[in-house]
């Protein structure tokens, strides 16, 4: 991701088959794109606030979100 072209500012990592995304914006009420996923379904969770955000399907997914300042999510593969 590149802040010059994609908003909100986004950082993504993968660890042990789980994907973690950090989104940053003063205020955001729109969709975000979850890039870099493997093919398959993922359970999405806002792990800071312990909120289930549903299920998405890779390899590229979109998620409607509404946050201020930041949103940290974890995607766990559904087997």
């Amino acid at each position: 991701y590149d802040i010059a072209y994609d908003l909100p500012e986004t950082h993504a990592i993968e660890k042990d088959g789980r994907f973690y995304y950090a989104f940053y914006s003063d205020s955001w009420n729109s969709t975000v794109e979850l890039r870099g996923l493997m093919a398959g379904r993922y359970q999405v969770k806002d792990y800071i606030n312990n909120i289930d955000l549903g299920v998405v399907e890779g390899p590229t997914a979109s998620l409607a979100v509404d946050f201020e300042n930041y949103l940290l999510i974890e995607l766990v593969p559904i087997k």
Side-chain angles (χ1 to χ4, degrees):
Y1 294 89
D2 188 319
I3 191 167
Y5 300 103
D6 294 320
L7 293 175
E9 177 184 348
T10 304
H11 302 271
I13 62 168
E14 182 273 336
K15 182 176 180 180
D16 298 329
R18 295 177 180 219
F19 291 82
Y20 298 87
Y21 293 84
F23 300 99
Y24 300 95
S25 179
D26 290 339
S27 180
W28 190 263
N29 184 7
S30 189
T31 59
V32 292
E33 190 173 345
L34 305 172
R35 300 178 189 167
L37 298 171
M38 304 302 289
R41 293 169 31 104
Y42 294 85
Q43 183 66 50
V44 183
K45 181 178 182 180
D46 170 348
Y47 62 88
I48 297 297
N49 298 301
N50 198 29
I51 298 172
D52 180 358
L53 298 175
V55 174
V56 297
E57 188 164 343
T60 300
S62 294
L63 182 68
V65 296
D66 184 5
F67 67 90
E68 292 192 18
N69 301 318
Y70 66 89
L71 174 65
L72 305 175
I73 61 173
E74 175 187 45
L75 281 71
V76 177
I78 298 172
K79 298 183 184 202

